[in-house]
Amino acid sequence: MEDTHATREGLEQALYSLLPTGLAGVDAARGRARLRTLVTLRWLAVLGQTLAVLFVQFRLGFDLPLAWCLTTIAASAWLNVFLSITIREQVLLKGWEAALQLAFDTMQLAVLLGLTGGLSNPFLLFLIAPVTVAATSLRRRYSVAIAIFAASCAALMPALAFDLPWSEGEIFTLPPLFEWGHFAALVIGIVFFATSSLRLSEDEARLVRALDAASVVMAREQRLSALGAMSAMTAHELGTPLATIHLVAKELNAEFDRDDPRFEDIHLIAEQADRCREILGKLSKSREAQDIVHANMPLSSLVEEAAAPFKGLGVELNVTYSPGDNGEPRVPMIRRSPEVLHALGAFIENAVSFADSQVRAVASWTDRQFMVTISDDGPGFAADVMPKLGEPYVSQRGEAHLGGGDMGLGFFIAKTLIERTGGRIATRNRYPPRHGAIVQAVWPRTALESLESDRIQINNPAVET
């Protein structure tokens, strides 16, 4: 029992350390950009810049430093040609390599803007583009460096930029205050888009890691179930040959005298055949093997099985069951789901870890849904943790347990498994003066009875137990 508890307790944390190696590593790809992506974006920029410059020069009739503008655009085009020849486009660039390319793109765009009016150019906000790409694909330090570099290039424009191109014979000059307003808008945009892109990218990477861990857990549970089914099938298949061996051994045993040296060997074969038959008989009659083979078990038995590894750990763990409103008195039969077993076990383990003295797991049912409510008498969920439950890597529950127990990944995996079987999770604290946390899993009856893919929405708050 203690071994099972220790195995489940360390599983999610071990999975996190194994994921980068076993699943190609989200962290290994995080902070790197694909060369083909940067080359494609640069070609789009070259095309757009060329069309914009030619349109302003020949369609609007504004006098641009056309040679300098085209030379600046050609620099990006030649860089793409060089990279396409010397490097395979399928490779992932290292962080510093991608940062250097994005710094070049920032410089090229800043020079082009400086040639066409600087802070007066309405296309100034395009400086946000390389910063956003960096924040989306690179690590924080490179993203911050590109953002600072872009803002610095913009800050130098009032001293180095050409005048804004305008009609021949006319000079259009914006007030300095307006230009600095442009600069302020650019800096705010850089900070906003860089921060939001960085946060979204980090959240996505964290979510991918957690989902990968959930997939590994589910595959592990399914392998264990398959192993149980295989053992039951083995017990059934070996019954006939063992019976034959036992019968032949008995017949041979009757033909030899006790003084015959072969008598003891034949007698030993018969005894061992009997022993094998007894072992296989116990295996085939075990509840787990029968449940796996027939794929059915009472709802109460499923909760009992999930709670069994955590009994006798210093906390009183009570498992009860009762029908709810409009529920039939008989305990309903459900499919034995490895996902549900693991999820309920994770919730019960978490409750046992934080409880002061008692944990209750209550199974109930109505004519439309199944419910399993797990409550404890511990400190309950901290106010700042409650809105984050269900996200990966929430590290604590209450102030009394700061630094104790990683609830995030385990809770996320359990919640994900419940949702994959058609259920929903509700969490809250018990009402004062009582203290403790409540986690309730709710499924429509069809989800566990048939495990069909059709899932109906349930809006059922947690109930006090």
Side-chain angles (χ1 to χ4, degrees):
M1 184 178 299
E2 292 181 358
D3 291 341
T4 304
H5 174 69
T7 300
R8 187 185 294 270
E9 186 179 39
L11 177 62
E12 288 83 6
Q13 296 178 1
L15 285 173
Y16 177 76
S17 63
L18 292 174
L19 282 175
T21 301
L23 297 174
V26 175
D27 283 335
R30 172 69 183 157
R32 306 179 70 181
R34 197 179 182 189
L35 178 60
R36 175 177 293 178
T37 300
L38 295 183
V39 169
T40 302
L41 292 176
R42 196 172 293 115
W43 279 127
L44 291 175
V46 167
L47 178 62
Q49 292 169 4
T50 303
L51 292 177
V53 167
L54 295 179
F55 179 81
V56 171
Q57 176 72 31
F58 298 107
R59 183 68 179 85
L60 299 181
F62 294 167
D63 188 18
L64 292 174
L66 188 60
W68 286 105
C69 290
L70 294 178
T71 300
T72 303
I73 296 172
S76 286
W78 279 113
L79 176 61
N80 266 3
V81 172
F82 173 77
L83 293 175
S84 299
I85 294 174
T86 58
I87 304 177
R88 293 179 293 110
E89 295 186 5
Q90 293 81 5
V91 300
L92 281 175
L93 296 173
K94 296 179 181 179
W96 65 269
E97 293 173 335
L100 284 179
Q101 290 197 36
L102 290 172
F104 171 85
D105 295 333
T106 303
M107 173 64 78
Q108 186 265 353
L109 184 57
V111 170
L112 187 61
L113 289 170
L115 292 172
T116 55
L119 295 182
S120 300
N121 193 318
F123 292 96
L124 178 69
L125 290 180
F126 272 92
L127 274 176
I128 295 176
V131 177
T132 304
V133 173
T136 302
S137 57
L138 302 184
R139 295 190 181 277
R140 185 183 299 271
R141 60 179 180 273
Y142 295 122
S143 304
V144 172
I146 297 298
I148 294 175
F149 183 63
S152 301
C153 290
L156 294 174
M157 287 182 185
L160 303 177
F162 289 16
D163 292 333
L164 182 70
W166 207 249
S167 301
E168 187 177 356
E170 298 181 13
I171 299 177
F172 183 82
T173 303
L174 290 172
L177 183 61
F178 187 88
E179 290 188 345
W180 285 111
H182 248 183
F183 175 75
L186 173 69
V187 172
I188 293 173
I190 287 175
V191 172
F192 174 78
F193 283 102
T195 302
S196 59
S197 298
L198 190 63
R199 288 294 302 272
L200 289 173
S201 180
E202 291 176 347
D203 288 345
E204 181 182 6
R206 189 182 305 133
L207 184 61
V208 168
R209 288 195 299 268
L211 287 173
D212 285 342
S215 298
V216 172
V217 168
M218 188 164 62
R220 173 182 174 272
E221 294 294 331
Q222 289 173 344
R223 284 196 300 270
L224 292 176
S225 294
L227 183 61
M230 185 177 298
S231 65
M233 181 182 65
T234 302
H236 176 74
E237 295 295 331
L238 289 178
T240 300
L242 278 175
T244 303
I245 293 173
H246 180 266
L247 178 62
V248 173
K250 287 290 187 182
E251 292 178 351
L252 289 175
N253 198 30
E255 294 180 2
F256 292 99
D257 296 331
R258 290 184 175 272
D259 297 334
D260 193 304
R262 291 170 293 181
F263 179 83
E264 292 185 1
D265 294 336
I266 298 299
H267 185 68
L268 179 62
I269 292 175
E271 286 184 347
Q272 295 303 312
D274 275 335
R275 184 180 178 188
C276 289
R277 292 177 66 186
E278 290 176 2
I279 294 174
L280 293 178
K282 291 179 181 179
L283 181 61
S284 62
K285 292 177 181 179
S286 66
R287 187 191 68 189
E288 291 79 4
Q290 291 177 351
D291 289 339
I292 293 172
V293 173
H294 301 293
N296 288 320
M297 66 190 311
L299 175 63
S300 56
S301 297
L302 182 127
V303 181
E304 285 279 5
E305 185 175 343
F310 310 106
K311 291 185 176 180
L313 298 179
V315 174
E316 182 183 354
L317 176 55
N318 297 320
V319 178
T320 59
Y321 56 93
S322 61
D325 296 338
N326 302 321
E328 69 274 13
R330 181 178 58 87
V331 180
M333 299 294 292
I334 64 172
R335 280 281 186 93
R336 185 185 189 278
S337 169
E339 296 92 333
V340 174
L341 279 171
H342 181 89
L344 293 181
F347 291 139
I348 293 172
E349 178 190 16
N350 186 68
V352 169
S353 299
F354 288 97
D356 290 338
S357 61
Q358 186 181 57
V359 172
R360 295 184 63 192
V362 180
S364 58
W365 59 92
T366 67
D367 58 345
R368 293 188 177 183
Q369 61 189 22
F370 298 125
M371 293 160 287
V372 177
T373 305
I374 301 164
S375 60
D376 61 70
D377 59 353
F381 297 114
D384 58 336
V385 170
M386 283 290 291
K388 302 176 184 178
L389 280 175
E391 299 178 7
Y393 316 119
V394 179
S395 60
Q396 67 210 33
R397 178 192 280 193
E399 295 180 359
H401 293 273
L402 291 175
D406 183 0
M407 293 171 50
L409 184 57
F411 195 97
F412 173 85
I413 291 174
K415 179 175 179 290
T416 301
L417 294 178
I418 292 295
E419 291 174 349
R420 285 188 178 185
T421 56
R424 292 183 63 186
I425 293 295
T427 57
R428 68 174 179 84
N429 289 328
R430 302 178 72 179
Y431 295 122
R434 288 174 288 186
H435 56 86
I438 295 176
V439 177
Q440 186 180 63
V442 185
W443 297 267
R445 290 186 68 110
T446 54
L448 293 186
E449 286 179 336
S450 63
L451 290 182
E452 295 175 351
S453 58
D454 296 334
R455 309 303 186 194
I456 62 174
Q457 297 294 328
I458 299 176
N459 184 14
N460 186 73
V463 296
E464 180 67 58
T465 61

